[in-house]
Amino acid sequence: MEKLTFYALSAPEKLDRIGAYLSERLIRDVSRHRYGYVCIAMEALDQLLMACHCQSINLFVESFLKMVAKLLESEKPNLQILGTNSFVKFANIEEDTPSYHRSYDFFVSRFSEMCHSSHDDLDIRTKIRMSGIKGLQGVVRKTVNDELQANIWDPQHMDKIVPSLLFNLQHVEEAESRSPSPLQATEKEKESPTELAERCLRELLGRAAYGNIKNAIKPVLIHLDNHSLWEPKIFATCCFRIIMYSIQPQHSHLVIQQLLGHLDANSKSAATVRAGIVEVLSEAAVIAASGSVGPTVLEVFNTLLRQLRLSIDYALTGSYDCAAGVSTKIIKEHEERMFQEAVIKTIGSFASTLPTYQQSEVMVFIMNKVPLPSSQQSIEAGKAGENRNRLTQIMLLKSLLQVSVGFQCSNMLTALPSAFLDRLLSAALMEDPEIRLFVLEILISFIDRHGNRQKFSTINTISDISVLKLKVDKCSRQDTVFMKKHGQQLYRHIYLICKEESNVQAHYEALYSMLMLISIELANEEVVVDLIRLVLAVQEIAQINEDNLTAYNRCALFALGAAYLNLISQLTTVPTFCQHIHEVIQMRQKEAPYLLPEDVFVERPRLSKSLDRLGPEVFFWQSKISEVLGGSGYNSDRLSTPYIPQLTDEDRLSKRKSIGETISLQVEVESRNSPEREQRAPAEEITYETLKKAIVDSVAVEEQERERRRQVVEKFQKAPFEEIAAHCGARATLLQSKLNQIFEITIRPPPSPSGTITAAYGQPQNHSIPVYEMKFPDLCVY
């Protein structure tokens, strides 16, 4: 061997003839079953190959590869393993010059076949499979860095290599408990086909360039489909964890796009399959956080929301083909629900990887997809349409809640832009209690920037606020601007939600959290005053009970007010204010414990039906609070003015107002905007005295206005039908007479051919001008 090596090195041009001779001998010995000579010939070739790295090695390699192929074709496992080991040694040699004509197609096919070996003997089967994996690793190493070699990333090669590695990865126990790094594996595991296949897959993916990722990932998706591996999802998650940790971080978004495309392709697959794909997406998104999620962020969410919408349709229609109405598969609602939850969780995972400005865009995007009665989006009519709308609203708001939970933004103006807030709050006025609760939870997650939310999860009247250990910062300038812009809107919606009869304990807890968080995060002196007025107005809702609320709702509102005023009095640190609140709470404990949260917000609330016979001592009085806070520098005029929510178009769209309120609103609008009123009002000269008088009298005027509106509402609610009909009939008659006068003036008989018309009494009438000759003002002409 030494002499042969010396001869080959001194006369490299003879290498190809040496190789051809050895190759001929080996082929002959294999066919004659002289396996000892086969081993000698192969060892001689190996040593020559390792020793001779000259330019003329190319021709020698042809002979070498022909011999390896012959061994791999043999049915003897030992010869296959011998051929593989020789090929691996060759693969580790870095050649000086590339080869243009060398083909590895046979080796990829044969090594892939060995990876799937099903030999009866377990040890031999394991050895053959490991040889196959080592062979594939050798092919990848040999070809991946040389552009002139066969392109290993072509689909015909990847479709064999990747499934072979995954097949060996499948046979692992407790796949989910394995670490993503092979460095922590034990020596015994390193000897297994599973561990070797994982190392090989990691190496393959680590070498993948931008343009090759797609070809490497597609066979993985097809393999998981063909072997139904999405449903348990443990193996699929394990695979994609390996993929995400192995590829270069800047290519992460390509894998995510592939998964999204696959989810779309499986739109009509079983819910469990889609849920598996979505779970894998969720895992991949978390790992991709260190890299990039890619430029098409909204496209990711668009795909997920589309799948959510489809799932709702499937669950409602029971068919994957909504148009045909005939389905070959049985759709199980609980599986669709599970899929919907998986999508919502994934939306949250994706959003958490994004920077703040993109999270904000995503939330606006999701909110614009929510079908609302007031929006331009089509609201489907009918029972099925209502169910679909409701489910869509709930699922999208759940998704929004997932995103908002991980959203951190110090500037509320940026976090809640006007268009987004308007749509969100209009959803708060819907009849469905679940939707209202989601809206409150979303608002709370936005407002709570210091993690105080959990401290208000239960409603109670604690005597010392310091035990809550609240994190309080001074209200920033941006927050002040936000409350000036949107404060009244927020108060109004809180007030209207309080009037809902379908509220349960969760709603009151959310309202309590919301009031407290506004007081801590966004409050200046003016906001505190407005919140106190709002809570007193809520107490009045329960006290007067115009909306015919149940005893539980009324007691809950009283208890909510007590709990809030108890805490806000301690936050304002005005001793007289604290004393008044404390006195009322003590009085309630003695006389009416059912007005306190400790008796109302429990599993079995203790209520009273005699709420209309309560004494004045158990109520918080606006005059008293105005007096004690006014003495400490708060705006006593504003405090003494009762809170009245502004009525807007939204109320008419909400379908919840009584006929009396609707009519009173129309009467008020008519009386304020009628032209007669405008003509009668003379131009008034504005002086300092006028302004002073207006400020002083504003409270009394508002009180009169409120009383007038209350009387109108009461009249339409309580007056007999005949009286209301007579009132409306009189107005209708007046209107009809006016219309008749207008018609008499405008309508004239048509012109006769002679130019005059002789009346029945023989008197000629004036000429009537034809329409085409009439002179109309410019504004009337279109």
Side-chain angles (χ1 to χ4, degrees):
M1 196 63 228
E2 284 176 15
K3 286 180 182 177
L4 181 62
T5 307
F6 177 74
Y7 176 68
L9 286 170
S10 56
E13 70 277 1
K14 301 288 184 183
L15 254 179
D16 56 328
R17 289 183 66 187
I18 296 168
Y21 172 74
L22 284 172
S23 174
E24 188 186 327
R25 283 291 301 269
L26 184 133
I27 290 165
R28 189 173 65 205
D29 291 337
V30 167
S31 59
R32 291 178 181 179
H33 304 292
R34 293 176 178 175
Y35 299 124
Y37 288 110
V38 170
C39 293
I40 291 168
M42 209 65 225
E43 195 171 333
L45 274 169
D46 285 350
Q47 287 196 31
L48 283 172
L49 197 62
M50 301 302 285
C52 305
H53 291 179
C54 60
Q55 290 185 353
S56 56
I57 199 173
N58 269 336
L59 293 172
F60 174 68
V61 167
E62 291 303 318
S63 303
F64 169 79
L65 290 177
K66 194 192 298 181
M67 291 164 70
V68 171
K70 188 69 183 172
L71 291 177
L72 292 174
E73 283 173 347
S74 165
E75 291 180 3
K76 296 280 180 186
N78 289 341
L79 291 185
Q80 292 174 15
I81 293 164
L82 180 68
T84 305
N85 291 341
S86 290
F87 184 82
V88 170
K89 287 175 190 170
F90 160 68
N92 289 328
I93 294 173
E94 289 186 18
E95 294 180 56
D96 297 332
T97 54
S99 171
Y100 302 98
H101 56 280
R102 205 178 291 161
S103 170
Y104 293 97
D105 292 11
F106 166 78
F107 294 101
V108 170
S109 300
R110 184 65 189 131
F111 288 137
S112 299
E113 199 177 324
M114 288 165 70
C115 287
H116 289 85
S117 170
S118 56
H119 198 280
D120 295 336
D121 189 321
L122 179 62
D123 286 342
I124 293 172
R125 183 167 74 227
T126 302
K127 283 178 182 174
I128 293 173
R129 285 187 180 182
M130 286 185 72
S131 290
I133 296 165
K134 284 176 185 172
L136 289 176
Q137 195 172 25
V139 174
V140 171
R141 283 179 183 171
K142 196 70 190 161
T143 57
V144 79
N145 291 326
D146 193 343
E147 291 177 8
L148 296 168
Q149 299 273 20
N151 187 0
I152 201 69
W153 300 107
D154 283 349
Q156 73 253 30
H157 298 314
M158 281 289 119
D159 289 348
K160 292 172 187 170
I161 294 171
V162 173
S164 303
L165 298 175
L166 293 177
F167 176 77
N168 284 283
L169 262 178
Q170 265 175 262
H171 300 279
V172 63
E173 289 161 11
E174 300 177 358
E176 72 277 10
S177 65
R178 288 173 48 247
S179 67
S181 168
L183 299 173
Q184 299 168 12
T186 62
E187 286 302 316
K188 190 178 177 185
E189 270 187 322
K190 281 186 181 176
E191 292 305 309
S192 70
T194 305
E195 189 61 35
L196 194 59
E198 183 177 330
R199 281 214 306 277
C200 185
L201 184 61
R202 285 180 185 280
E203 188 179 332
L204 177 71
L205 293 164
R207 292 168 183 268
Y210 182 86
N212 303 326
I213 293 282
K214 188 176 178 182
N215 287 349
I217 301 301
K218 195 175 179 185
V220 179
L221 299 171
I222 292 168
H223 181 82
L224 295 171
D225 281 348
N226 291 344
H227 294 270
S228 304
L229 294 170
W230 292 111
E231 292 178 41
K233 83 186 173 211
I234 294 167
F235 178 70
T237 308
C238 171
C239 274
F240 274 90
R241 210 175 284 150
I242 291 169
I243 290 167
M244 296 306 290
Y245 279 121
S246 302
I247 61 170
Q248 296 170 43
Q250 65 269 29
H251 299 158
S252 299
H253 68 277
L254 291 173
V255 179
I256 287 167
Q257 281 175 1
Q258 286 276 92
L259 278 165
L260 286 166
H262 197 65
L263 180 60
D264 271 343
N266 280 276
S267 288
K268 294 186 180 180
S269 300
T272 47
V273 172
R274 284 177 284 134
I277 300 171
V278 166
E279 287 280 354
V280 170
L281 255 172
S282 180
E283 288 275 341
V286 173
I287 298 167
S290 57
S292 68
V293 181
T296 55
V297 173
L298 291 181
E299 190 52 42
V300 172
F301 291 94
N302 200 22
T303 302
L304 290 170
L305 294 178
R306 183 167 63 247
Q307 290 299 324
L308 200 59
R309 189 93 193 219
L310 279 171
S311 176
I312 291 166
D313 284 343
Y314 295 157
L316 286 171
T317 59
S319 162
Y320 284 120
D321 191 357
C322 302
V326 179
S327 178
T328 52
K329 299 173 188 172
I330 298 167
I331 291 178
K332 295 175 183 171
E333 269 194 58
H334 72 275
E335 286 181 357
E336 288 297 340
R337 243 193 328 272
M338 182 187 71
F339 168 70
Q340 289 158 15
E341 292 299 330
V343 171
I344 290 164
K345 179 188 161 198
T346 304
I347 286 171
S349 298
F350 262 115
S352 65
T353 67
L354 299 174
T356 306
Y357 75 94
Q358 281 191 326
Q359 283 183 331
S360 190
E361 283 177 15
V362 166
M363 287 188 285
V364 172
F365 180 73
I366 295 173
M367 194 64 227
N368 286 337
K369 296 265 181 190
V370 178
L372 297 173
S374 56
S375 69
Q376 297 300 317
Q377 290 182 351
S378 58
I379 290 282
E380 297 178 56
K383 190 88 166 57
E386 281 176 20
N387 283 344
R388 185 175 285 111
N389 288 328
R390 180 181 173 277
L391 283 170
T392 307
Q393 287 158 353
I394 287 172
M395 289 301 164
L396 290 176
L397 288 171
K398 262 190 186 177
S399 306
L400 194 57
L401 182 58
Q402 278 286 332
V403 180
S404 65
V405 165
F407 183 70
Q408 288 295 325
C409 183
S410 55
N411 187 348
M412 289 299 291
L413 281 168
T414 313
L416 290 169
S418 294
F420 175 77
L421 187 62
D422 290 346
R423 285 186 64 80
L424 185 62
L425 288 174
S426 63
L429 295 181
M430 299 185 82
E431 290 177 11
D432 194 290
E434 199 175 349
I435 291 173
R436 291 202 305 275
L437 189 57
F438 276 126
V439 173
L440 286 171
E441 292 290 346
I442 291 164
L443 285 168
I444 286 166
S445 63
F446 276 119
I447 297 168
D448 181 25
R449 292 167 293 180
H450 292 91
N452 291 315
R453 164 80 173 95
Q454 292 307 314
K455 294 162 188 176
F456 306 119
S457 55
T458 54
I459 310 179
N460 50 28
T461 51
I462 53 169
S463 54
D464 184 8
I465 199 172
S466 61
V467 298
L468 293 177
K469 295 179 181 172
L470 299 173
K471 294 176 186 172
V472 185
D473 273 352
K474 192 180 176 193
C475 182
S476 67
R477 183 176 165 276
Q478 290 97 330
D479 290 344
T480 306
V481 173
F482 173 80
M483 287 309 286
K484 276 191 181 299
K485 191 174 180 184
H486 299 295
Q488 292 303 324
Q489 203 178 359
L490 284 171
Y491 307 147
R492 180 173 163 278
H493 283 81
I494 292 171
Y495 180 84
L496 291 172
I497 292 171
C498 286
K499 295 175 81 168
E500 290 290 349
E501 197 175 342
S502 55
N503 286 343
V504 293
Q505 185 173 335
H507 290 87
Y508 295 113
E509 285 170 353
L511 285 164
Y512 175 65
S513 297
M514 179 122 166
L515 288 165
M516 282 314 305
L517 288 168
I518 293 173
S519 308
I520 291 168
E521 296 279 353
L522 306 169
N524 52 23
E525 190 178 298
E526 190 179 325
V527 172
V528 170
V529 167
D530 281 343
L531 286 169
I532 292 169
R533 290 171 62 222
L534 172 63
V535 171
L536 291 170
V538 168
Q539 177 186 259
E540 196 177 340
I541 293 172
Q543 195 176 343
I544 297 171
N545 196 25
E546 285 180 351
D547 297 280
N548 296 321
L549 297 173
T550 62
Y552 173 76
N553 292 131
R554 293 177 71 186
C555 289
L557 290 178
F558 281 125
L560 174 69
Y564 175 74
L565 290 171
N566 173 54
L567 283 188
I568 198 71
S569 65
Q570 293 179 58
L571 278 173
T572 54
T573 63
V574 177
T576 47
F577 183 30
C578 293
Q579 188 184 347
H580 170 63
I581 302 301
H582 189 59
E583 282 171 4
V584 174
I585 289 172
Q586 277 188 327
M587 189 57 71
R588 285 188 180 185
Q589 285 168 348
K590 287 180 193 173
E591 305 288 334
Y594 45 83
L595 301 185
L596 292 172
E598 286 78 8
D599 272 35
V600 178
F601 301 116
V602 288
E603 197 175 334
R604 290 184 181 173
R606 292 180 286 279
L607 307 173
S608 168
K609 292 187 179 173
S610 58
L611 293 173
D612 295 323
R613 295 196 291 276
L614 292 169
E617 66 279 356
V618 296
F619 296 122
F620 301 100
W621 290 99
Q622 190 148 1
S623 54
K624 179 72 177 172
I625 292 172
S626 172
E627 182 188 323
V628 294
L629 284 178
S632 299
Y634 285 84
N635 186 339
S636 57
D637 285 346
R638 193 170 178 79
L639 268 168
S640 58
T641 310
Y643 173 76
I644 302 167
Q646 299 163 349
L647 293 165
T648 66
D649 292 343
E650 212 170 20
D651 297 309
R652 275 168 272 174
L653 293 163
S654 66
K655 303 182 189 173
R656 295 175 297 102
K657 299 192 73 61
S658 68
I659 187 167
E661 286 174 296
T662 310
I663 294 167
S664 71
L665 181 65
Q666 289 168 353
V667 169
E668 183 180 315
V669 169
E670 284 168 13
S671 62
R672 282 184 176 176
N673 300 336
S674 62
E676 291 86 354
R677 183 187 172 103
E678 285 175 20
Q679 287 168 8
R680 282 199 304 270
E684 188 178 353
E685 188 183 350
I686 298 171
T687 60
Y688 171 75
E689 288 299 325
T690 316
L691 289 170
K692 186 178 174 184
K693 188 179 176 187
I695 292 166
V696 172
D697 294 349
S698 63
V699 178
V701 169
E702 281 187 27
E703 193 64 46
Q704 287 170 10
E705 184 75 7
R706 191 173 174 204
E707 181 60 27
R708 188 183 69 77
R709 283 172 54 194
R710 195 186 65 73
Q711 286 172 0
V712 172
V713 171
E714 194 175 328
K715 176 182 175 183
F716 278 95
Q717 282 179 338
K718 296 178 181 177
F721 176 74
E722 291 78 9
E723 189 181 326
I724 295 171
H727 174 71
C728 293
R731 290 180 62 196
T733 311
L734 180 66
L735 179 63
Q736 189 61 49
S737 66
K738 289 280 184 191
L739 282 172
N740 289 340
Q741 287 176 21
I742 292 163
F743 290 143
E744 282 173 18
I745 294 164
T746 54
I747 296 171
R748 302 283 177 117
S752 66
S754 62
T756 58
I757 298 174
T758 307
Y761 299 106
Q763 295 170 345
Q765 290 186 342
N766 293 332
H767 286 284
S768 62
I769 304 164
V771 175
Y772 54 83
E773 286 183 8
M774 286 182 185
K775 297 293 182 192
F776 290 98
D778 289 345
L779 288 173
C780 297
V781 181
Y782 177 65

